[in-house]
Structure formats: structure tokens, C-alpha cells
Amino acid sequence: MAHLTESVVRVIDEFAKLPGIGRKSAERLAYHVLRVSASEALALADAIRDVKQNVRYCKNCFHLAEQNECDICRDPRRNQSQICVVEQPRDVLQLETSGAYSGLYHVLLGRISPLDGIGPDQLTIDSLVDRVKHGTVREIILATNPTVEGDGTALHISNRLAEYPVEITQLARGITTGSVLEFANKEILADALSGRRKF
Amino acid sequence: MAAEKSLAMVLRTVEFSESSYVATLFTEDFGKITALAKGARRRKSAFESALDLLSVSRVVFLSKSSDSLDLLTEARLEKAFRSSQKELSRFYAALYIIELVNLMTDNRDPHPELFRTTVRCIGRLDQGAPIAPHVLKFELAILRHLGHLPALHACSECSRAVPDAARMAFGIWNGGVLCNSCKIGKRKVVSLSLPALQLLRSWSEPEPETTNDTDWSLPQFDTEWTKVAGEVRGLMNQYLCDTLGRRPQLFDFLGFH
């Protein structure tokens, strides 16, 4: 790219490192940055700097926060007796969009993935146990992903919490609303049957 | 690009871009392949749960002639592994088995019999078969299938028959038992009791494909195993680490030292 200046090449290289952005898209973004006003372009740079400098993990639940505690943990209207355990902060955002849950969260920051060398000690499970031990929690909702590793993580947590007087529940799984039985695979049907409830 | 079909076990998936996976599959007909599953992470993906670890799925993929990734076009789940919802040690044992398969097999090197052994072993673990002896049986089976089984009858150095004795020399670096003259001066030699060696000999024999899955619950199976379990486990840990050139990740999870 001899015909581009060093700064332009640098910004293209940086954009191209972003997930889902190829070289062509990176070039388009770089041209966009060159075209907009300096204040608009620098607002992007400032936003990136702020997010890296100010965002940290909440000391209670490990969700993203700009203070020691996240907005959810500081909200007195949230139900303090329920904790929903998820793998990643993005899972919190997804569950919040449902509007069906008003309790607290606990983000594990991963899942037990032995093939990648990730064991329970690398997750925030100890902090969850402390919250249960010292708090007023009555129910733990395990909302790890419905995969082999997600299930293994949920099982490990439920074993760790077995000695405490909390109810441990897991998100329901099975047939999607609006779909038809004819096209559901046998594992989904098996899940739906084993998790059936009284009508 | 030819479209290939096979039964496959999912050994590993790695997130690729926002919506895709790169999946490592152990197929019955083509051996281990690495394929890109475009859109597999989307909610309405054509792969559904067929690419979860330890799943057995019927796959269709476009085989690339170059070094690039194959392209997975279809995967239909045949059997999922369920024990991760019930017992952690069973989950770790099953992961250990696919870790061994992944570490010990090469891409595009078909081993249909090993594939069937792997599927059967993981299926049995999922059904509640005893874990530790089952894992050992699989270790011996994969070593046999891939030509790494230690010499258990003749001396691994001079190939002469080694007479049975209360304790026998087993050379980890030599790949099996050693006779009295060959063991002298050898490094990394461990002493193995005769019952432990006999168990290794008998369990390393190929199992007929027709063996009934309930054979694992025979009482003789338990008594044979419990007497020498620690000794055999220690030997296998050393032998496998030496053969693989590294320590499997799952050793820590299974409590293998």
C-alpha cells in the first residue's frame, strides 16, 4: 500500500483486527474516518479510550461496570434473593432484553472447558459460593449455555452449592415457541419431554 | 470439490468470526478433518446441536484439495452425550477420550475401527459403565489401532520371549517389557507386577465388535481391575505422556498424576 500514508495504513490495519471486519471493510471504515469531521472521528477514539480506562468487572457479579458495582447490583428494585448464573456479560444483556427477570446475576467469565485447559478455578465460582454463603439468596438459576461444557459447568456449580440452603434451578430447554414438532430433532424432543411441566 | 458424507464425532469446535465454527471431526470414512461450519453459531443454523462436543452426527462436507479448511455443509445429530448433566467424572473421561483421539490421529488418515471403538466407548460411559477401567481399555485400544501398543509378551529390545516373574521390567522409553539382559543400563525402567502385566495383556486384545455393552458389569471385571488399578494407571500415565510427547490436558481433571 505504497500509495497510502503511514497513518492511513495504520488505521486500516487496526480496523482489520476487529471481529468480522475484513481488509475491504477496514478500508471503507478508514475512508469514512477521513471523511467525517475531526470531532466526530475523535469521539470514536475517545469512546474506545474511555471504555478501556473506565470499564471493569463488578465486584459482586463480574458484569461490566464503571464503578465498583454494576447498575444491576446497585438497583434496590432488583430481587436480591435470586441470582442468575451466566457465562459471559453479553448473556446478561440478552436476558435483560427479555424483561422477564428482575433478580441479580453472576457472570462466570467463561465455562469449564478442559480441552482448553480451563477449569473451575479460572472462573468466578468461588465468588458465587461466597455470595450464597454470606447473602440472602434463595434461588440460583443456572443459565449456562445448553452445550456439553455449559452443562458440565452447571453441574459443577450445583455440586459446589449442594450444602447450602438454596434452590437450584436451570433454564428450561426444548421446543422453540412458534416451531412445529415435525421438524424438531430427537435431542430437542427428549429435552422437552424430560422437562415437561404440569399444565 | 467433492461432497463427502460420513458419520462423525465432534472432537473440538473453535469460534470463527461472529457466526461460524471451525470444527474438528473424527469421521468414520475419512479420519480426522477440520472443517468450517459457516453460520453454525446462528440461532437458525442448519447444524443445530449437531456440532456440540462428543456428539455423533451425520455430516456432509466439501473436501478441499489444498491445505485450506473443508467446508461443512450439513450435520444431523445422531447421538448427543448426556452425562455432562449428571456426573462430572464421566464428562471428563469422555473429553479425555476425544483429546487422545485428537492428539494421536492425523488429518485424513482413516481408522474406521478406531472410530467405532471411540463411539462405543463414549456411548458406554454415557450409559454408566465404570469409568477408570473403561478409560484404560480405550487407551490400550487406541494404542493398538495406531501401532503404539507396548510390547507385553516379548522383550521390546531383543524380541525374545520374556519368562513370567513376580516383577517384570518395563521400559517406558523402550516401549514395553525388557528381558533380564536388556534391562541393564536402560533408563526410565519401571518394575511391574505380573498381575498388572497380565491385565494389560488381556485387556489389550481386540474386543469383538459384537460384544454386548453389559459385559462391563461382570464381577470378574471389577476384581481383576481393583487389585492392580494404581500400578497400571501410573504406568499408563508415564507411557502415554512419553508417546504423546506432552501431558494431556484432562489428566488434571481426572486426577491422573
Side-chain angles (χ1 to χ4, degrees), chain A residues 170-175 186-198, chain B residues 82 85-86:
Chain A
Q170 191 173 25
L171 289 190
R173 56 178 73 177
I175 302 155
K186 58 186 177 188
E187 295 298 330
I188 289 175
L189 285 171
D191 276 336
L193 277 169
S194 64
R196 70 189 185 278
R197 62 183 178 186
K198 208 166 182 179
Chain B
R82 294 273 177 175
Q85 297 168 15
K86 299 172 215 150

Short mmCIF file of all heavy atoms in Angstrom, two decimals, chain A residues 170-175 186-198, chain B residues 82 85-86:
data_model
loop_
_atom_site.label_atom_id
_atom_site.label_comp_id
_atom_site.label_asym_id
_atom_site.label_seq_id
_atom_site.Cartn_x
_atom_site.Cartn_y
_atom_site.Cartn_z
N GLN A 170 -32.61 -24.57 36.67
CA GLN A 170 -31.90 -24.39 35.40
C GLN A 170 -32.90 -23.91 34.35
O GLN A 170 -34.08 -24.28 34.40
CB GLN A 170 -31.27 -25.72 34.97
CG GLN A 170 -30.30 -25.57 33.82
CD GLN A 170 -29.56 -26.86 33.51
OE1 GLN A 170 -30.06 -27.95 33.79
NE2 GLN A 170 -28.38 -26.76 32.92
N LEU A 171 -32.43 -23.12 33.40
CA LEU A 171 -33.33 -22.64 32.36
C LEU A 171 -33.96 -23.83 31.64
O LEU A 171 -33.30 -24.84 31.40
CB LEU A 171 -32.56 -21.81 31.32
CG LEU A 171 -32.05 -20.43 31.73
CD1 LEU A 171 -31.55 -19.68 30.50
CD2 LEU A 171 -33.12 -19.61 32.42
N ALA A 172 -35.23 -23.67 31.28
CA ALA A 172 -35.92 -24.73 30.55
C ALA A 172 -35.33 -24.85 29.15
O ALA A 172 -34.76 -23.89 28.62
CB ALA A 172 -37.40 -24.41 30.46
N ARG A 173 -35.43 -26.02 28.57
CA ARG A 173 -34.95 -26.20 27.20
C ARG A 173 -35.90 -27.12 26.45
O ARG A 173 -36.62 -27.91 27.07
CB ARG A 173 -33.53 -26.75 27.18
CG ARG A 173 -33.36 -28.04 27.92
CD ARG A 173 -31.95 -28.56 27.82
NE ARG A 173 -31.03 -27.77 28.63
CZ ARG A 173 -29.74 -28.05 28.77
NH1 ARG A 173 -29.21 -29.06 28.14
NH2 ARG A 173 -28.96 -27.32 29.52
N GLY A 174 -35.92 -26.99 25.17
CA GLY A 174 -36.81 -27.84 24.38
C GLY A 174 -37.29 -27.14 23.13
O GLY A 174 -36.53 -26.41 22.50
N ILE A 175 -38.57 -27.34 22.82
CA ILE A 175 -39.09 -26.87 21.53
C ILE A 175 -39.30 -25.34 21.55
O ILE A 175 -39.85 -24.79 22.50
CB ILE A 175 -40.43 -27.57 21.23
CG1 ILE A 175 -40.18 -29.08 21.22
CG2 ILE A 175 -41.02 -27.13 19.92
CD1 ILE A 175 -41.41 -29.89 21.52
N LYS A 186 -34.43 -35.16 17.56
CA LYS A 186 -34.79 -36.06 18.65
C LYS A 186 -34.23 -35.62 20.01
O LYS A 186 -34.85 -35.87 21.04
CB LYS A 186 -34.37 -37.49 18.33
CG LYS A 186 -32.91 -37.68 18.05
CD LYS A 186 -32.65 -39.11 17.59
CE LYS A 186 -31.18 -39.29 17.24
NZ LYS A 186 -30.90 -40.57 16.63
N GLU A 187 -33.07 -34.94 20.00
CA GLU A 187 -32.50 -34.49 21.28
C GLU A 187 -33.35 -33.36 21.87
O GLU A 187 -33.56 -33.30 23.07
CB GLU A 187 -31.05 -34.02 21.07
CG GLU A 187 -30.10 -35.12 20.64
CD GLU A 187 -29.97 -36.23 21.67
OE1 GLU A 187 -30.12 -35.95 22.87
OE2 GLU A 187 -29.72 -37.38 21.27
N ILE A 188 -33.83 -32.47 21.00
CA ILE A 188 -34.69 -31.37 21.47
C ILE A 188 -35.99 -31.95 22.03
O ILE A 188 -36.48 -31.54 23.09
CB ILE A 188 -34.95 -30.37 20.32
CG1 ILE A 188 -33.67 -29.59 20.01
CG2 ILE A 188 -36.10 -29.42 20.66
CD1 ILE A 188 -33.75 -28.66 18.83
N LEU A 189 -36.53 -32.94 21.33
CA LEU A 189 -37.76 -33.58 21.80
C LEU A 189 -37.53 -34.29 23.14
O LEU A 189 -38.37 -34.22 24.04
CB LEU A 189 -38.27 -34.58 20.76
CG LEU A 189 -38.93 -33.94 19.53
CD1 LEU A 189 -39.21 -35.00 18.48
CD2 LEU A 189 -40.22 -33.24 19.91
N ALA A 190 -36.35 -34.94 23.26
CA ALA A 190 -36.04 -35.63 24.53
C ALA A 190 -35.95 -34.62 25.67
O ALA A 190 -36.47 -34.86 26.77
CB ALA A 190 -34.72 -36.40 24.39
N ASP A 191 -35.31 -33.47 25.41
CA ASP A 191 -35.22 -32.41 26.42
C ASP A 191 -36.60 -31.91 26.81
O ASP A 191 -36.91 -31.71 27.98
CB ASP A 191 -34.41 -31.22 25.87
CG ASP A 191 -32.92 -31.42 26.03
OD1 ASP A 191 -32.53 -32.19 26.92
OD2 ASP A 191 -32.15 -30.81 25.28
N ALA A 192 -37.42 -31.70 25.78
CA ALA A 192 -38.76 -31.15 26.03
C ALA A 192 -39.60 -32.13 26.85
O ALA A 192 -40.32 -31.73 27.76
CB ALA A 192 -39.44 -30.84 24.70
N LEU A 193 -39.46 -33.41 26.55
CA LEU A 193 -40.24 -34.42 27.28
C LEU A 193 -39.76 -34.54 28.72
O LEU A 193 -40.56 -34.58 29.65
CB LEU A 193 -40.14 -35.78 26.58
CG LEU A 193 -41.11 -35.95 25.41
CD1 LEU A 193 -40.78 -37.19 24.61
CD2 LEU A 193 -42.56 -36.03 25.91
N SER A 194 -38.42 -34.58 28.90
CA SER A 194 -37.92 -34.75 30.28
C SER A 194 -38.19 -33.49 31.11
O SER A 194 -38.30 -33.57 32.33
CB SER A 194 -36.45 -35.11 30.29
OG SER A 194 -35.70 -34.06 29.75
N GLY A 195 -38.29 -32.34 30.46
CA GLY A 195 -38.54 -31.10 31.21
C GLY A 195 -39.99 -30.67 31.18
O GLY A 195 -40.29 -29.50 31.46
N ARG A 196 -40.91 -31.59 30.86
CA ARG A 196 -42.32 -31.21 30.75
C ARG A 196 -42.86 -30.76 32.12
O ARG A 196 -42.32 -31.15 33.15
CB ARG A 196 -43.14 -32.38 30.21
CG ARG A 196 -43.28 -33.54 31.16
CD ARG A 196 -43.93 -34.73 30.46
NE ARG A 196 -44.16 -35.80 31.38
CZ ARG A 196 -43.25 -36.68 31.76
NH1 ARG A 196 -42.01 -36.60 31.29
NH2 ARG A 196 -43.54 -37.65 32.61
N ARG A 197 -43.88 -29.93 32.09
CA ARG A 197 -44.44 -29.44 33.36
C ARG A 197 -45.95 -29.59 33.38
O ARG A 197 -46.57 -29.76 32.33
CB ARG A 197 -44.04 -27.99 33.59
CG ARG A 197 -44.58 -27.09 32.53
CD ARG A 197 -44.13 -25.67 32.72
NE ARG A 197 -44.66 -24.88 31.63
CZ ARG A 197 -44.36 -23.62 31.42
NH1 ARG A 197 -43.53 -23.02 32.22
NH2 ARG A 197 -44.89 -22.96 30.43
N LYS A 198 -46.50 -29.48 34.57
CA LYS A 198 -47.94 -29.66 34.74
C LYS A 198 -48.69 -28.54 34.04
O LYS A 198 -48.31 -27.37 34.16
CB LYS A 198 -48.27 -29.66 36.24
CG LYS A 198 -49.48 -30.46 36.57
CD LYS A 198 -49.53 -30.70 38.06
CE LYS A 198 -50.74 -31.54 38.39
NZ LYS A 198 -50.83 -31.82 39.80
N ARG B 82 -24.96 -37.10 27.11
CA ARG B 82 -25.86 -36.54 28.13
C ARG B 82 -25.28 -36.49 29.53
O ARG B 82 -25.81 -35.83 30.41
CB ARG B 82 -27.15 -37.37 28.19
CG ARG B 82 -27.98 -37.29 26.93
CD ARG B 82 -28.88 -36.11 27.04
NE ARG B 82 -29.66 -35.90 25.85
CZ ARG B 82 -30.59 -34.98 25.77
NH1 ARG B 82 -30.83 -34.20 26.80
NH2 ARG B 82 -31.26 -34.80 24.68
N GLN B 85 -24.68 -33.65 32.24
CA GLN B 85 -25.74 -33.11 33.09
C GLN B 85 -25.84 -33.89 34.40
O GLN B 85 -26.62 -33.52 35.27
CB GLN B 85 -27.09 -33.18 32.37
CG GLN B 85 -27.14 -32.34 31.11
CD GLN B 85 -28.37 -32.63 30.26
OE1 GLN B 85 -29.32 -33.26 30.70
NE2 GLN B 85 -28.34 -32.18 29.02
N LYS B 86 -25.11 -35.03 34.47
CA LYS B 86 -25.32 -35.91 35.63
C LYS B 86 -24.06 -36.16 36.46
O LYS B 86 -24.13 -36.22 37.67
CB LYS B 86 -25.85 -37.27 35.17
CG LYS B 86 -27.18 -37.20 34.44
CD LYS B 86 -27.51 -38.56 33.86
CE LYS B 86 -28.23 -38.43 32.52
NZ LYS B 86 -27.98 -39.53 31.62
#
